[in-house]
């Protein structure tokens, strides 16, 4: 199917991303987390002990952004970075008790955004949309490996 002008999937994905950042920028400061740090915290809630390089690869940002975000999370008392047991040059990120104390509220904010953007979309269509978005992410990742 040919898409002309501004009616592209990429455009609307980008707009939704920017809107999500606005939403998170309004909701997360009460927890002392910025919209630039939330994705790293989410990854660490899913799997602690990731290295800075692993986090960089998972969220598709540059190494400097990862280092800045982790520094802010560390300064906020949410994360500690520890040298890897086998390679001291590698730093692994672990959650502090203060992060674990906000995890439930954190996920409520994240899930509320999904509820907002999927309102009036039937559950079966939401599930298909999620599968399609995962496939689109895989496609983009495969393509970007060329660089």
């Amino acid at each position: 199917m040919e898409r002309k002008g501004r009616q592209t999937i990429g455009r609307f994905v980008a707009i939704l991303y920017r809107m999500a950042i606005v939403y998170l920028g309004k909701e997360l400061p009460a927890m002392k987390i910025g919209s630039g740090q939330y994705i790293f915290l989410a990854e660490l809630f899913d799997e602690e002990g990731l290295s800075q390089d692993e986090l960089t690869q998972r969220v598709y940002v540059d190494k400097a952004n990862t280092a800045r975000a982790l520094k802010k999370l560390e300064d906020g008392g949410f994360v500690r970075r520890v040298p890897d047991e086998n390679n001291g040059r590698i730093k692994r990120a672990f959650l502090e008790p203060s992060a674990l104390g906000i995890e439930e509220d954190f996920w409520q904010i994240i899930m509320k955004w999904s509820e907002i953007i999927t309102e009036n979309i039937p559950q079966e269509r939401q599930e298909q949309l999620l599968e399609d978005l995962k496939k689109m992410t895989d496609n983009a990742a495969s393509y970007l490996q060329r660089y």
Side-chain angles (χ1 to χ4, degrees):
M1 169 188 282
E2 184 177 330
R3 302 231 184 250
K4 294 189 179 191
R6 298 163 42 91
Q7 300 298 311
T8 65
I9 292 169
R11 175 177 183 258
F12 289 104
V13 168
I15 289 170
L16 278 171
Y17 169 75
R18 289 191 298 274
M19 290 175 167
I21 293 303
V22 170
Y23 166 79
L24 293 171
K26 302 284 188 195
E27 295 291 329
L28 291 177
M31 302 171 97
K32 305 220 183 317
I33 300 168
S35 61
Q37 292 95 52
Y38 93 94
I39 193 69
F40 298 97
L41 198 53
E43 288 294 327
L44 292 170
F45 281 137
D46 284 343
E47 183 179 352
E48 270 194 272
L50 296 170
S51 72
Q52 289 182 201
D53 283 343
E54 289 167 332
L55 283 165
T56 294
Q57 291 169 3
R58 286 185 182 202
V59 301
Y60 284 91
V61 298
D62 62 43
K63 291 180 181 184
N65 279 341
T66 302
R68 279 191 298 272
L70 288 176
K71 174 83 169 103
K72 287 180 181 177
L73 288 169
E74 195 172 35
D75 290 347
F78 295 110
V79 168
R80 73 181 181 287
R81 290 184 279 183
V82 177
D84 183 84
E85 294 175 355
N86 300 318
N87 183 345
R89 293 175 297 173
I90 296 172
K91 299 263 176 135
R92 300 206 169 270
F94 293 90
L95 297 170
E96 292 285 20
S98 60
L100 299 172
I102 64 161
E103 184 175 10
E104 185 175 330
D105 292 337
F106 173 87
W107 286 119
Q108 284 179 353
I109 290 169
I110 301 303
M111 296 309 293
K112 177 154 174 118
W113 180 247
S114 288
E115 292 170 12
I116 290 166
I117 64 174
T118 58
E119 186 176 351
N120 299 319
I121 298 175
Q123 185 63 37
E124 63 276 0
R125 293 223 16 237
Q126 289 182 41
E127 291 168 12
Q128 183 61 55
L129 178 59
L130 182 58
E131 289 305 311
D132 292 344
L133 288 168
K134 286 179 186 177
K135 180 61 178 162
M136 291 166 69
T137 302
D138 291 344
N139 291 343
S142 292
Y143 186 85
L144 291 175
Q145 287 178 355
R146 299 175 184 190
Y147 302 111

